[in-house]
Amino acid sequence: VKDGGFERIPYKGPAFDGSSLPKVSLNPSSLKPLKVGEIAIVSCVVEGVEPEDSPFTYTWTGEVSGTGDSVNIQAKTPGKFTIAVNVTGARYFLGSASLEFEVQDFKVTAARVPNVQDPITIGSSTGLKAVLMSGGNPVSGNYIYRWQPHPEVMFKDLDSTNGQTTATFPRLGTVNVWVQVLQKEGDTVSTIAQSEQIAITVVQPTLNLTASPAAPLVGEEVKVIVK
């Protein structure tokens, strides 16, 4: 009211439909499934602000490293995760945004080295090798490969860091062998993957005798070979 009457003052606030309010978003807005150990960069974009809203304060939550408008996501363990950011300007809170992403699961495969299906004799050995995968690609890191069954089978390296060992079989029959992959964080050790079982047949050795000559004469010397 001015001088006993009403005065019209142009409205200078944000649009009633919200189109002129500050907008906070993440770039990229979505992520493809990540492999364990993979790193992705995510940036925060703020639009529709006035010069007096600067500087901005970014508060991130979730499995991120870094500060400011850009952070790193490092895929450490399989599963689905969410990161979020809140942005505050010099005058007031500007908005927030979030992003859900997935880290693909571990898978470990085990095989004999060389990769054969032949039976082995009791007391003999065979090589074993395991490969840890995530998203169809090999994964490297500080993992422990523990071979089973122990102590039914004697492993040269029960726990290895390269996924390789040699197994010796002290009993007859079909023995199933597999590997567990363990991850240590602090004092906690957890199993992150287990392979399918490899069936190995353990047999008794057989003796084969051959004589030369096969039909000797009386008094003739015969050479016998044992295999």
Side-chain angles (χ1 to χ4, degrees):
V1 178
K2 183 179 181 181
D3 297 333
F6 291 98
E7 179 183 5
R8 290 182 176 273
I9 302 174
Y11 176 71
K12 297 182 180 181
F16 295 127
D17 61 2
S19 59
S20 64
L21 290 175
K23 181 181 178 182
V24 176
S25 61
L26 294 179
N27 182 34
S29 58
S30 62
L31 291 173
K32 64 177 179 60
L34 302 177
K35 301 184 294 291
V36 173
E38 187 176 0
I39 295 177
I41 300 176
V42 177
S43 300
C44 179
V45 179
V46 183
E47 300 174 293
V49 292
E50 301 295 336
E52 54 267 28
D53 291 320
S54 184
F56 306 141
T57 300
Y58 302 88
T59 304
W60 294 87
T61 57
E63 295 294 327
V64 299
S65 60
T67 57
D69 63 346
S70 183
V71 294
N72 291 340
I73 297 174
Q74 183 166 12
K76 296 181 179 179
T77 57
K80 291 185 177 181
F81 305 91
T82 300
I83 65 168
V85 62
N86 292 327
V87 183
T88 303
R91 298 186 298 169
Y92 49 78
F93 176 73
L94 299 176
S96 62
S98 63
L99 170 65
E100 184 179 88
F101 65 96
E102 180 182 1
V103 180
Q104 293 179 328
D105 204 354
F106 287 111
K107 182 180 180 181
V108 60
T109 59
R112 290 173 61 179
V113 180
N115 192 5
V116 295
Q117 305 296 324
D118 301 339
I120 65 173
T121 56
I122 187 171
S124 61
S125 303
T126 184
L128 297 168
K129 181 179 180 180
V131 178
L132 183 63
M133 312 281 284
S134 178
N137 295 292
V139 176
S140 60
N142 189 23
Y143 302 107
I144 300 171
Y145 296 82
R146 179 166 296 171
W147 294 91
Q148 299 290 354
H150 174 75
E152 290 84 355
V153 176
M154 296 180 292
F155 298 99
K156 179 181 178 181
D157 297 299
L158 176 62
D159 290 348
S160 67
T161 57
N162 61 3
Q164 300 183 37
T165 191
T166 300
T168 303
F169 298 84
R171 65 180 181 86
L172 298 172
T174 299
V175 182
N176 291 321
V177 176
W178 68 96
V179 66
Q180 297 170 321
V181 182
L182 311 178
Q183 186 176 39
K184 185 175 182 180
E185 293 185 358
D187 296 330
T188 303
V189 177
S190 58
T191 301
I192 61 172
Q194 180 170 302
S195 72
E196 295 183 356
Q197 298 183 358
I198 306 171
I200 299 177
T201 302
V202 184
V203 298
Q204 193 74 261
T206 58
L207 299 180
N208 183 28
L209 303 180
T210 58
S212 179
L217 300 175
V218 175
E220 186 177 5
E221 182 179 279
V222 178
K223 183 179 182 181
V224 178
I225 301 175
V226 181
K227 291 185 178 179

